[in-house]
Amino acid sequence: MNMEVNIKLLETGKHTSQDVRVVQLKGDRLNDEAIQRVCSNLRNIYGLGAIPYQRDSENQSLLVLSKKSLHGSKLKEGNWVVELEDTEDFITLSYRNLSDRKWLADLLMAAMYARLEKGTRFWRMDTPKIWYEETPFKTDRDISAYRRYSASSMDIEGEGIGISVHVETAFFTNRSVQDYFSSGREERFMKLTSRQEGSKGTLLYRLGEKHLKCYFVTYCQGVTCGTTQPMTIEGERYENLFDYYRRKYPSVPVTPEDRVAKVSFSGNMSDAVSVPANMLYVRVMNDALTGELKQVDKIVPSERADLEDIFWQGVGATPFQYSTLKVQRGYWKPDTNKRFHISLPTVLCNKDNRVAAPAKATPDTHNNHFRQVKHTFDNVGCYHVPPGISRVIHFAIPEQVPEKIRERLADDLCKKISFLTGKEITPEILTYRYSKLEVFVPLKSLQSGMVVFVMNEEPEAYYEVEKELKHLPIKRIADATLITQWENIQHGKERRWNSFVELCAYDVVVQMQCIPYLPDLTTSYDGMLVIDVGEKAKFFGVSLMINRQEGRKAIPVFISNTHHKPDSKEKERINARQLERRIVDTFNEARMKARFAALRSVLVVRDGKLCGDENQGIEAARQFLIQACVLAQDARFDLIDLHKTSQKEIRLSQSWNDGIGNVLEGTGVILDSKTFVLSTTGAGTLRIGTAHPLLVEVKSGNVQLLDVAEYLHQAAQFNFGSPQVAQRLPFPVKELDDKLKTKQFQHIPVRG
């Protein structure tokens, strides 16, 4: 198997060493954030790679890659000033010294950012970790697409320091904020920014050669750079905004007639400042794209390899500022002891049917396996249906939708669900007006049941539904989608309508607690516990999957709950006592739901990374559950960090007969004794784009990496939403991720 990873190793490999300066910081005592700002200033002003080194009660110092002495240089930032004391004190960082490896990897990465900053055609916005090509590669009307690159360093055990480069696509408008508002196209601007209360439109601020990120606050109608009020900035008084730019940035073309907008550079609306509106461009999110740009962010492996080559040509073979270290010409091809492949599991279906694991691992056999799972499910129905499943599905549909469409949707969907569950399911249709969501009154009185809600795509509607009906499972369908699918029937494309109904039915039966089919799970673990924090850290969640037997039939238990996070200022960290309580509550809920033997081993997945003293809360929960006989006396919790996205974006590719393509589902690479990447999607079903592997870091001792990888891969085979396509996330991880996103919507204020 000829596998390649988007990582370039250093030519010197395990023998890499680098002489670096130790520079002392004299003057104000700085916190960690301020020291990072010093490193940023050394990169921005002097083009130097620098990282924090020592910080204690007596010393604060940096490691710097520089040919010249920095002694006596002063750096000022806000209220603090530091002087650099460079005594020509050099140390040698060597890869052979285990303690030096992180310093070496981080400093070389900082030196590469310095090279990008001063010696290439790439530009960046706020972070030095993401770089954009100089010009767009595609434009459609008022939106332009740019390639962007992120680079990161890592220690690959047995190989040396590696540098990964990840390619993505970013979209910006080619018209300024002034263009939209001065030409009466405010509605287009609002649509592109997808703004809602509590969110901010992200903008690119082009200030000559500099590119900065900021957030839209307001457009100042009728105000120009020459008519703003006088202002005082850093002790200097300016007559107006034009006067400020004329004196501060004389090379930047600004006129008194240029219009003004207010933006925030911090994200805090109270920190709004005035800038020329013709310097602001919208950062367009992918869900706002239409037409030719809709799919250009899907980069296939062969194209990705070409783009990575373009990036490396831009930075050169010696990409580290003031270092002679070189990267290898080719990309890393892991040896057989570094790579692995996990077979797809046998899938158990209703009425004792099963889909056997492929005898041979190829793209075709994998594709056939997923197609066979779907075919079997469609023909024999759900593997498990709860005895008390609701026999009525409530449909809330706007009265603006024609009656024949309402009835066709309800009848077809209930007919499909009746077959999949083996129960007679009937529809109850409630109509409502967009202007008055009076439909909530009868639905709120329901103690249980399933609701299919057809709504428009306004954020307010989504918020209202989630808020008012949060006690019920809801399948949401956009009214525009429904009408489009109905038009397929009118144009003789009934198969598309049937596919739409089918996918809706799959989602509904899962929300009704049915299990469509069951991957044959490994015996290495009895269950999976997942912990995650939602966006903006206002909520966290705990989900649980238990591999449970009921007689001769395996029927897993799934529990997933979200909770308010009172210490949201702590961002990712969850209070240990609160985490302990919620873990215990989740296991107790599972025990009330079904009987199961005391568990011997549980894989504990922290989505993101373990923070603070969370591991103490997890261990306290384990001890409590042992005493409660939920866990066996010798039960173990194996802890891992699972990164859905990370700064180290690693991609795997493979040479096939028709060229470079994705690896097979279940392919992985071991980076060190505690870290691996696993591609749960791949060549079998992924036709557009490149597979996005999961990065896994083991946090417990004596854990078998391949046991962890196998369980994660098998748990990803609960791909109920689209059985013919591989699913990226393990089911309990995806379930909790979806619930946290829904919870966030329930707490977004509606614009008044």
Side-chain angles (χ1 to χ4, degrees):
M1 182 171 65
N2 190 9
M3 182 202 296
E4 193 171 84
V5 186
N6 64 329
I7 293 173
K8 281 184 179 283
L9 299 171
L10 299 189
E11 284 188 347
T12 44
K14 294 180 290 185
H15 306 288
T16 299
S17 63
Q18 177 67 57
D19 292 337
V20 300
R21 293 176 182 271
V22 179
V23 177
Q24 301 292 330
L25 303 181
K26 300 298 182 181
D28 294 331
R29 297 296 302 172
L30 306 180
N31 58 26
D32 291 342
E33 182 181 356
I35 289 180
Q36 288 288 358
R37 296 288 294 274
V38 173
C39 294
S40 296
N41 283 335
L42 286 173
R43 183 189 67 248
N44 297 336
I45 299 171
Y46 299 105
L48 300 176
I51 60 171
Y53 182 43
Q54 294 176 328
R55 180 171 175 267
D56 52 40
S57 58
E58 296 182 0
N59 298 301
Q60 46 186 6
S61 61
L62 310 176
L63 295 180
V64 184
L65 261 178
S66 174
K67 291 182 177 180
K68 297 180 180 180
S69 172
L70 299 172
H71 189 70
S73 301
K74 291 184 178 181
L75 293 174
K76 181 178 183 299
E77 182 73 33
N79 297 322
W80 54 258
V81 178
V82 292
E83 182 175 340
L84 307 185
E85 184 179 281
D86 188 347
T87 58
E88 303 292 325
D89 181 16
F90 284 85
I91 64 170
T92 299
L93 298 177
S94 173
Y95 184 82
R96 292 184 176 182
N97 296 329
L98 191 62
S99 59
D100 284 356
R101 291 181 183 179
K102 188 177 188 314
W103 300 118
L104 190 56
D106 289 350
L107 185 57
L108 289 178
M109 197 68 254
M112 186 167 173
Y113 293 150
R115 169 64 59 84
L116 285 162
E117 190 84 58
K118 296 297 182 181
T120 68
R121 58 184 175 80
F122 299 102
W123 57 272
R124 67 178 178 88
M125 289 175 69
D126 54 331
T127 172
K129 298 173 183 177
I130 298 176
W131 297 84
Y132 299 82
E133 286 191 346
E134 191 174 20
T135 57
F137 70 91
K138 193 173 187 63
T139 295
D140 183 21
R141 296 182 296 169
D142 57 339
I143 301 177
S144 295
Y146 291 77
R147 295 300 187 200
R148 73 176 186 184
Y149 303 84
S150 57
S152 57
S153 60
M154 64 198 72
D155 170 23
I156 300 175
E157 196 172 80
E159 303 285 355
I161 302 297
I163 307 294
S164 70
V165 171
H166 175 54
V167 188
E168 293 180 301
T169 307
F171 302 91
F172 298 93
T173 60
N174 46 55
R175 294 182 178 179
S176 69
V177 171
Q178 177 173 303
D179 292 335
Y180 287 107
F181 282 87
S182 63
S183 61
R185 303 189 70 205
E186 297 96 325
E187 188 174 334
R188 172 67 173 165
F189 172 83
M190 298 296 283
K191 184 176 181 180
L192 289 175
T193 53
S194 300
R195 296 181 65 239
Q196 56 189 20
E197 201 69 31
S199 297
K200 303 166 283 293
T202 305
L203 304 178
L204 166 63
Y205 173 43
R206 295 182 182 271
L207 180 62
E209 296 289 319
K210 297 177 68 174
H211 301 77
L212 304 172
K213 182 169 77 172
C214 59
Y215 304 95
F216 181 76
V217 177
T218 188
Y219 182 76
C220 304
Q221 289 285 0
V223 180
T224 66
C225 291
T227 61
T228 60
Q229 294 294 316
M231 58 190 72
T232 300
I233 301 174
E234 296 181 347
E236 288 286 328
R237 181 173 173 80
Y238 303 93
E239 293 301 317
N240 47 45
L241 194 59
F242 171 70
D243 184 37
Y244 169 77
Y245 278 89
R246 180 178 60 83
R247 291 161 56 187
K248 190 77 172 178
Y249 305 103
S251 63
V252 176
V254 178
T255 72
E257 292 74 31
D258 291 337
R259 300 305 177 99
V260 175
K262 286 195 173 183
V263 300
S264 167
F265 288 94
S266 66
N268 186 340
M269 296 297 98
S270 62
D271 295 337
V273 297
S274 297
V275 298
N278 59 5
M279 294 184 181
L280 301 171
Y281 298 82
V282 178
R283 167 76 167 90
V284 182
M285 301 303 158
N286 290 28
D287 56 5
L289 299 173
T290 57
E292 296 181 4
L293 297 181
K294 193 73 175 174
Q295 295 294 326
V296 298
D297 64 320
K298 309 295 190 297
I299 309 172
V300 297
S302 57
E303 182 184 7
R304 185 177 294 276
D306 292 340
L307 291 169
E308 289 165 359
D309 286 343
I310 290 172
F311 176 85
W312 281 110
Q313 289 167 13
V315 295
T318 53
F320 313 113
Q321 192 83 321
Y322 299 122
S323 172
T324 58
L325 292 173
K326 293 183 177 182
V327 294
Q328 295 179 0
R329 292 187 62 183
Y331 295 93
W332 180 40
K333 294 179 172 61
D335 293 333
T336 53
N337 65 329
K338 285 284 189 180
R339 60 180 190 253
F340 61 86
H341 180 260
I342 297 168
S343 300
L344 291 170
T346 294
V347 176
L348 310 178
C349 302
N350 193 24
K351 300 178 181 178
D352 293 325
N353 286 275
R354 60 177 54 211
V355 178
K360 186 178 180 181
T362 69
D364 286 341
T365 59
H366 275 219
N367 183 266
N368 289 336
H369 175 82
F370 286 105
R371 291 167 64 90
Q372 188 61 37
V373 169
K374 180 184 184 304
H375 175 78
T376 306
F377 173 44
D378 284 338
N379 280 277
V380 303
C382 290
Y383 171 81
H384 171 71
V385 177
I389 189 172
S390 175
R391 304 303 175 89
V392 177
I393 294 180
H394 305 275
F395 289 79
I397 306 177
E399 62 182 21
Q400 291 90 334
V401 174
E403 182 179 3
K404 59 184 178 181
I405 303 179
R406 299 197 298 260
E407 292 182 352
R408 180 69 182 267
L409 172 68
D411 291 344
D412 285 4
L413 192 51
C414 283
K415 181 180 178 181
K416 180 68 176 179
I417 294 169
S418 295
F419 174 79
L420 293 176
T421 60
K423 310 293 183 183
E424 186 64 34
I425 308 293
T426 58
E428 180 178 301
I429 300 176
L430 303 171
T431 60
Y432 70 95
R433 288 169 289 174
Y434 284 127
S435 57
K436 293 185 178 180
L437 295 180
E438 67 277 1
V439 71
F440 289 137
V441 176
L443 292 177
K444 286 174 69 174
S445 64
L446 296 174
Q447 297 301 311
S448 61
M450 180 74 209
V451 178
V452 175
F453 213 113
V454 179
M455 65 182 78
N456 61 35
E457 297 184 270
E458 289 297 317
E460 294 92 334
Y462 198 114
Y463 163 77
E464 288 290 349
V465 171
E466 293 298 335
K467 175 173 175 282
E468 298 294 338
L469 304 179
K470 57 187 176 184
H471 64 296
L472 296 173
I474 302 168
K475 168 62 183 174
R476 290 168 293 276
I477 299 175
D479 53 0
T481 299
L482 178 59
I483 297 301
T484 298
Q485 295 298 334
W486 176 259
E487 289 172 352
N488 284 326
I489 297 179
Q490 309 308 304
H491 295 122
K493 300 176 181 178
E494 191 146 343
R495 287 183 62 182
R496 293 189 179 182
W497 168 267
N498 293 338
S499 295
F500 162 69
V501 170
E502 192 174 71
L503 291 175
C504 290
Y506 294 163
D507 189 11
V508 170
V509 296
V510 172
Q511 292 204 54
M512 296 174 79
Q513 306 301 308
C514 299
I515 301 176
Y517 43 84
L518 180 66
D520 197 4
L521 298 171
T522 176
T523 57
S524 298
Y525 291 99
D526 295 332
M528 181 183 296
L529 176 70
V530 181
I531 302 162
D532 192 11
V533 173
E535 187 182 357
K536 300 182 180 178
K538 292 184 178 179
F539 305 95
F540 76 98
V542 177
S543 69
L544 177 66
M545 176 179 76
I546 296 176
N547 317 345
R548 168 180 163 272
Q549 288 286 135
E550 187 174 289
R552 291 185 303 167
K553 189 174 184 179
I555 302 177
V557 178
F558 299 106
I559 305 290
S560 185
N561 294 310
T562 59
H563 311 282
H564 178 64
K565 188 173 179 291
D567 55 343
S568 59
K569 291 184 179 179
E570 293 289 340
K571 295 184 179 179
E572 274 286 307
R573 188 180 74 84
I574 305 171
N575 178 273
R577 293 289 298 275
Q578 191 175 28
L579 180 58
E580 174 193 353
R581 180 162 65 93
R582 295 306 185 185
I583 291 174
V584 170
D585 289 348
T586 302
F587 275 92
N588 286 337
E589 184 180 344
R591 190 164 57 171
M592 292 175 63
K593 187 175 181 179
R595 292 182 179 181
F596 53 87
L599 307 180
R600 298 159 300 157
S601 57
V602 176
L603 181 64
V604 181
V605 179
R606 178 57 163 95
D607 191 335
K609 66 176 183 178
L610 282 166
C611 298
D613 55 357
E614 289 177 354
N615 58 335
Q616 296 177 23
I618 294 170
E619 175 58 20
R622 188 185 75 90
Q623 294 291 345
F624 182 93
L625 293 167
I626 288 174
Q627 295 300 317
C629 298
V630 177
L631 302 179
Q633 287 297 315
D634 58 348
R636 73 179 198 271
F637 271 7
D638 288 352
L639 274 61
I640 66 169
D641 287 346
L642 185 147
H643 303 276
K644 300 193 293 282
T645 59
S646 75
Q647 294 177 7
K648 296 177 174 61
E649 290 286 4
I650 298 173
R651 294 293 186 270
L652 313 179
S653 59
Q654 185 172 335
S655 295
W656 300 98
N657 292 335
D658 56 352
I660 298 175
N662 284 302
V663 295
L664 282 173
E665 295 84 352
T667 300
V669 173
I670 296 171
L671 300 181
D672 58 44
S673 61
K674 294 286 187 180
T675 312
F676 65 88
V677 292
L678 171 66
S679 185
T680 48
T681 62
T685 61
L686 187 59
R687 294 291 176 262
I688 301 175
T690 304
H692 188 177
L694 306 173
L695 176 64
V696 179
E697 296 181 84
V698 173
K699 296 299 181 180
S700 301
N702 301 319
V703 175
Q704 298 298 313
L705 294 191
L706 293 186
D707 287 347
V708 174
E710 183 180 33
Y711 195 39
L712 291 172
H713 184 51
Q714 290 174 348
Q717 305 314 307
F718 293 92
N719 54 337
F720 302 143
S722 189
Q724 75 277 20
V725 178
Q727 179 174 284
R728 180 170 178 253
L729 297 178
F731 184 76
V733 177
K734 183 179 185 300
E735 185 83 348
L736 185 55
D737 196 49
D738 290 344
K739 284 201 170 187
L740 284 168
K741 289 176 182 176
T742 298
K743 194 74 173 178
Q744 189 67 34
F745 265 108
Q746 292 173 2
H747 290 75
I748 295 175
V750 183
R751 287 180 293 189

